[in-house]
Amino acid sequence: MLQSRFDPNTVRATRRQFLVGTATAAGLVVGYKLIASDPASAQTAPAPAQPNPFQAYVEITPENKILIHSSQFEMGQGSYFGVATLVMEELGGDWAQVEVVGASGNPALYGNLAWGGIAQGTGGSTSMTSSWERYRKAGATARMMLTAAAAKAWNVPENELDVTSGVVTHSSGKRATFGELSASAGELPVPDNVPLKSREQWSQIGSDKLKRYDSIGKTNGTQSYTIDVKMDGLLTAVMIHPPKFGAELVSFDAAKAKEFDGVVDVVQTPRGIAVVGRDMWSALKGRELVTAQWDEKNAEQRGSSEILEEYRRLAGGPAAATARNDGDVAAALSAADRVVEANYEFPYLVHASLEPLNAVARKDENGVIEIWGGHQMPDLYQAVAAQVGETTPDKVKLHVMKTGGSFGRRAVADADLIVEAVATAKALGWKAPVKVQWTRENDMRGGRYRPAYVHSLKAGLDKDGKLVALHDHIVGQSILGGSPFAAMIKDGVDATSVEGASNLPYAIPNLKVELTTTDVKIPVLWWRSVGSTHTAYAIETFMDDLAAAAKRDPVEFRLSMLEAHPRHAAVLRLAAEKADWNKPLPEGRFRGVALHESFSTYVAEIAEITFRSATDFTVDRVVCAVDCGIAINPDQIRAQMEGGIGFGLGAILQEELTLTKGIVDQENYDSYTPLRIEQMPRIEVHIVPSDEPPTGVGEPGVPPIGPAVANALRAATGRTIQKLPVTKGLSA
């Protein structure tokens, strides 16, 4: 995902941030607004003086509901729960009152602070970093305004009031619910410099007893997703995309499809052909009857094997750009007592989230285009929808739906789903709302993959087994190139291609990380933990190779280079302690370790396997230590580490997207195989206590699991798997 290039430790409250509150017909609304440090240079218009619920953070309704408007998108990672915890810690409400909804449409209120506050978006595990200060302040301000309203009504001092479970009480026996006080509270002045609770006063933040408030709906099927959206007259559209990436539509024949009962129309969109039916089945049957002609002269014609062959050739030659260059690597390698080399290959990977891509679009009676969907980058989608719909952004309203997974796929610079939904509804003359629903096959073959990469590594050890030089030449596609984020590419280096390698914590006096960016027409995108998905594997398995060459223990070898990075060292020591690293294992059992920092969160994982043969082994146990700063929701942190480990384990064991003559080979979960439940190991997660600002946990659990398992396999077989997935590498 798009990730922060900012130090989360700098995200603090300043005078640039202030609270706004107002009374509306709905009750008390408390928001949070950003202005530039010099108001005269402000680039973002302030929120209206009379903000509605979608221009605020906390709304207390007369019906006694606590409605929290989240700037962060919920796709299963628990961001709504985290944001609600921050509000509830300061507000003192009852969790039974809580409802969290997605907010959008006002970057001044909802801009991601980890991205500088200039745009709203969810990615790079920045949700809690961005929310930490402002949602606590919103909750504290709402509480102060509610108690002020009660004090005024009862003619008592505010400091004599108590707030518990959504009720304000006084020793005289007077009591009022939040809902009863909401209207009068909203009429009061907004207090300045609202104090926040000290850590010793927290009852919600850091509580191990606090469980996700929204779990019931997800387990009993009542939670609504975009796929569940229903409304009068809703039509369903399925897509026909070019069979090869870069191909363009020449013509299509939909005569037979339009004769099929239930097919409403077949229309062209900027991204292909939409077959529109009264229901999904009709649209799918109609799609089978459409024939299309494509111009493939500018399409990608190569298969993945040819692409990787080119990458191998490029990795062996001079690099195009340098991401990091410490010391003199060439000289240090020449003088090294021993030189170790390795070449790694990483395939394309699909996001493969459970809910295939979808969006609903319609135009209301006031000419406003409404769009329901998983809006991971709302500002961008609003602008694109306005352009496609030939209107202005203020005439586009987004309904932010919870989503059955994303892993980066719904944060797309060209807003592909939004384009298809709006363009289809527009082509029908806006006569009915339209749900564009991709099939699993559309999803697998629709592009936006984790790029394929090749690493060429070389390192030098001195006579004492100390690592004195490391060179990594990385070859692969740029995620940022050709997108609105291309300006982030500096001196030919896309940071998402080299992160995890260019910021190594290990003390290596001579370190060079180079990059060659390739020109391939396969659309790529950030995938859960982005560049760290390949750099962590290459570096951390190579570290075990180097430790073996130096005849040193892998944990001790790493710790010897981490004196300047105590947080890295701490998680590594904790994982080793909890995994009994220094105790022998029964015959046939082996351990492997890996350490990685991503998105300012530090994770060490130790995998324990049972090895019977190259085609018969199981991952039985994973011990994970994580330092993510202040642990807002410990239970959710453990859940995200477990989920990330499972996600990453499936990817390295067996996931691979391949192409033959430019056409994707895989179509569904039968040929592209994420981790199955019986493959899930026993996982232990240990959270490092911290007073540092909170960082993210949605992605950092993913990178270390691959190298940890590979290093356990190395302990069993004596060789490192350098070609992924492991099932292919073991047989190579």
Side-chain angles (χ1 to χ4, degrees), residues 387-407:
Q387 184 177 30
V388 175
E390 298 181 302
T391 186
T392 53
D394 63 300
K395 291 291 186 180
V396 175
K397 180 179 180 180
L398 302 182
H399 298 272
V400 183
M401 303 293 292
K402 289 184 179 179
T403 298
S406 172
F407 315 118

Side-chain angles (χ1 to χ4, degrees), residues 608-671:
E608 191 173 307
I609 69 170
T610 297
F611 186 85
R612 290 169 285 273
S613 72
T615 56
D616 184 13
F617 72 92
T618 54
V619 182
D620 303 311
R621 180 190 182 206
V622 177
V623 176
C624 169
V626 55
D627 177 355
C628 56
I630 293 169
I632 296 172
N633 299 123
D635 187 61
Q636 186 60 25
I637 291 169
R638 285 188 283 268
Q640 281 300 291
M641 289 296 110
E642 292 165 358
I645 288 167
F647 188 89
L649 182 58
I652 70 107
L653 287 181
Q654 59 215 30
E655 291 180 32
E656 177 184 29
L657 182 117
T658 60
L659 298 93
T660 301
K661 295 182 179 180
I663 297 177
V664 175
D665 298 318
Q666 291 74 27
E667 288 189 327
N668 212 312
Y669 288 147
D670 58 338
S671 51

Side-chain angles (χ1 to χ4, degrees), residues 157-490:
E158 287 184 47
N159 60 9
E160 292 183 3
L161 299 177
D162 182 59
V163 180
T164 305
S165 299
V167 179
V168 181
T169 59
H170 185 257
S171 58
S172 64
K174 291 183 172 64
R175 67 188 306 277
T177 66
F178 284 0
E180 291 168 339
L181 294 167
S182 62
S184 56
E187 295 173 353
L188 298 175
V190 181
D192 294 324
N193 301 317
V194 181
L196 299 178
K197 291 182 180 179
S198 66
R199 183 164 190 155
E200 293 72 26
Q201 295 173 303
W202 292 346
S203 63
Q204 308 292 306
I205 296 171
S207 171
D208 246 323
K209 298 178 181 178
L210 192 62
K211 307 301 180 183
R212 280 186 69 160
Y213 77 100
D214 57 351
S215 296
I216 294 176
K218 294 183 178 183
T219 53
N220 65 15
T222 57
Q223 176 62 59
S224 180
Y225 300 90
T226 308
I227 201 170
D228 302 312
V229 170
K230 295 178 176 65
M231 60 185 70
D232 290 344
L234 180 66
L235 303 175
T236 299
V238 297
M239 298 302 303
I240 301 173
H241 294 132
K244 294 183 179 181
F245 298 114
E248 296 181 357
L249 182 63
V250 175
S251 63
F252 67 93
D253 184 352
K256 291 182 179 179
K258 291 180 178 180
E259 291 174 0
F260 188 86
D261 186 31
V263 172
V264 175
D265 207 345
V266 180
V267 299
Q268 183 173 348
T269 77
R271 293 178 35 80
I273 305 165
V275 182
V276 186
R278 289 197 297 266
D279 50 55
M280 184 77 175
W281 186 84
S282 299
L284 287 171
K285 297 302 289 185
R287 185 171 69 174
E288 296 173 2
L289 300 174
V290 176
T291 59
Q293 300 296 318
W294 305 93
D295 180 357
E296 297 181 346
K297 67 176 180 293
N298 294 319
E300 181 59 68
Q301 305 290 344
R302 293 171 294 177
S304 47
S305 59
E306 290 90 353
I307 291 170
L308 283 168
E309 177 60 35
E310 180 193 359
Y311 285 15
R312 287 191 287 270
R313 179 183 62 80
L314 291 170
T322 301
R324 181 172 177 178
N325 191 11
D326 298 345
D328 189 335
V329 168
L333 287 172
S334 297
D337 184 70
R338 182 167 183 179
V339 174
V340 180
E341 298 185 52
N343 295 291
Y344 291 85
E345 295 183 19
F346 300 89
Y348 288 101
L349 294 176
V350 182
H351 299 79
S353 49
L354 191 60
E355 182 184 12
L357 296 175
N358 44 31
V360 177
R362 76 173 181 190
K363 182 179 282 188
D364 69 14
E365 63 276 8
N366 298 315
V368 174
I369 298 173
E370 296 183 88
I371 307 167
W372 288 257
H375 303 308
Q376 199 167 346
M377 300 176 73
D379 302 337
L380 189 151
Y381 295 174
Q382 187 178 33
V384 171
Q387 184 177 30
V388 175
E390 298 181 302
T391 186
T392 53
D394 63 300
K395 291 291 186 180
V396 175
K397 180 179 180 180
L398 302 182
H399 298 272
V400 183
M401 303 293 292
K402 289 184 179 179
T403 298
S406 172
F407 315 118
R409 181 58 182 88
R410 290 181 182 265
V412 192
D414 67 358
D416 52 1
L417 257 293
I418 307 305
V419 169
E420 290 181 349
V422 174
T424 302
K426 177 185 172 187
L428 296 175
W430 304 106
K431 66 182 180 182
V434 176
K435 179 192 293 182
V436 170
Q437 178 65 61
W438 281 25
T439 61
R440 182 70 58 202
E441 289 74 18
N442 287 142
D443 215 33
M444 291 285 182
R445 293 186 158 187
R448 277 51 178 204
Y449 309 123
R450 196 288 303 273
Y453 286 97
V454 165
H455 285 241
S456 179
L457 283 155
K458 183 182 292 188
L461 298 164
D462 67 13
K463 60 183 177 58
D464 298 320
K466 179 182 177 182
L467 181 57
V468 294
L470 176 66
H471 180 215
D472 187 2
H473 182 186
I474 302 170
V475 178
Q477 283 175 258
S478 167
I479 292 171
L480 301 179
S483 80
F485 310 106
M488 294 171 64
I489 299 174
K490 302 298 182 184

Side-chain angles (χ1 to χ4, degrees), residues 67-81:
L67 197 60
I68 299 170
H69 300 282
S70 175
S71 65
Q72 300 305 114
F73 174 48
E74 175 62 75
M75 46 195 140
Q77 81 279 33
S79 62
Y80 279 10
F81 179 41

Side-chain angles (χ1 to χ4, degrees), residues 124-129 598-601 626 628 641 694-700:
S125 295
T126 57
S127 288
M128 293 305 100
T129 299
S598 54
F599 312 104
S600 301
T601 291
V626 55
C628 56
M641 289 296 110
T695 51
V697 294
E699 301 174 81

